[in-house]
Amino acid sequence: LEASKTLIQLADLSSAIDENPVLPLDERIEILAQAVMYGRASKQSSRTEEQIRDDELSDIESKLECARVQKFIYRELNATVSKPEDKEIPLKRLDSDLFAPSPLYNQFIKKYGLAESGLALFNLCGISDEIIVKRFWELIIDQEGLTNSERAISLRIKDLAAKYYLGSNTLFTVLL
C-alpha cells in the first residue's frame, strides 16, 4: 500500500499554468491506475488493516475515475471551443493538475457548456438533479441538431442514454 501512496503523491504534483506540466494528465491517469493495481495486490495481516486498505483503495479508484472524467472534459472542451485563444488556458489547467468534481463542474463544465462531460461527472458522483440533467440533455440535442440529421440525433441520444443512465432521470422521463 505504501507504493500506492507514493504514486498518489506523484500524480497530485501541481504545475504552474505558464509552464509545461510536471506530468501531463495522461501520465497522471496511468500513475493512478498503477496505484490501484498496487493497492489491490497488497496483502494485509489483519481485518483492520484490510479494511483500511479497502477504504484507501476506494479513494484511489474514485480519484482515477475523476481523472478519467477530467480527460473527457479536456477532449470535449478541445473539440467544442473553436477559438484557440479561448481554450488554451483551460486546456493547460486541465493538463496541469488533478481536479475534484466540484471544480471540474464549476470551472469547466458549467463555464463552457460541456453537456456530455456534465453527464459523465454526474454519473460518476451519482447526482441526478432533474433540472440540470434536463438542461444537459436539451443542450446535447440542440448541439446535435445543428450538425446532424434526425436519425443521427436519435442514435446519438440513444448512445448517451445507455452510457449515462441516471435512473428516473433518463432522457425519456426527463424530457417528457
Side-chain angles (χ1 to χ4, degrees), residues 20-87:
N20 289 330
V22 173
L23 289 170
L25 183 56
D26 288 332
E27 287 182 33
R28 292 172 191 272
I29 291 171
E30 190 175 311
I31 289 168
L32 289 170
Q34 288 174 348
V36 168
M37 182 183 66
Y38 289 139
R40 286 184 182 149
S42 70
K43 302 285 186 213
Q44 303 304 319
S45 58
S46 71
R47 280 202 180 275
T48 303
E49 288 175 346
E50 191 173 311
Q51 182 60 44
I52 291 170
R53 184 212 52 198
D54 290 347
D55 291 346
E56 289 178 358
L57 184 58
S58 179
D59 290 344
I60 297 167
E61 289 170 334
S62 294
K63 190 175 214 96
L64 173 60
E65 290 307 311
C66 192
R68 287 180 174 148
V69 170
Q70 183 171 327
K71 182 63 178 184
F72 190 83
I73 292 167
Y74 181 97
R75 288 183 185 136
E76 186 177 4
L77 185 109
N78 195 32
T80 59
V81 176
S82 56
K83 294 181 182 176
E85 63 272 12
D86 291 344
K87 62 183 173 182

Side-chain angles (χ1 to χ4, degrees), residues 92-106:
K92 279 186 177 181
R93 288 184 62 217
L94 285 165
D95 203 35
S96 297
D97 282 310
L98 291 176
F99 289 87
S102 290
L104 285 174
Y105 179 77
N106 291 314

Side-chain angles (χ1 to χ4, degrees), residues 109-155:
I109 293 170
K110 188 176 177 183
K111 184 174 182 177
Y112 296 99
L114 306 175
E116 286 186 52
S117 295
L119 291 176
L121 186 66
F122 283 9
N123 188 52
L124 172 71
C125 298
I127 297 170
S128 58
D129 182 297
E130 188 173 315
I131 294 169
I132 296 174
V133 170
K134 182 178 179 180
R135 214 174 308 144
F136 282 143
W137 278 114
E138 289 170 345
L139 183 59
I140 290 168
I141 291 167
D142 289 345
Q143 289 169 347
E144 289 293 319
L146 294 175
T147 59
N148 295 309
S149 69
E150 286 181 21
R151 178 158 167 55
I153 294 170
S154 174
L155 291 173

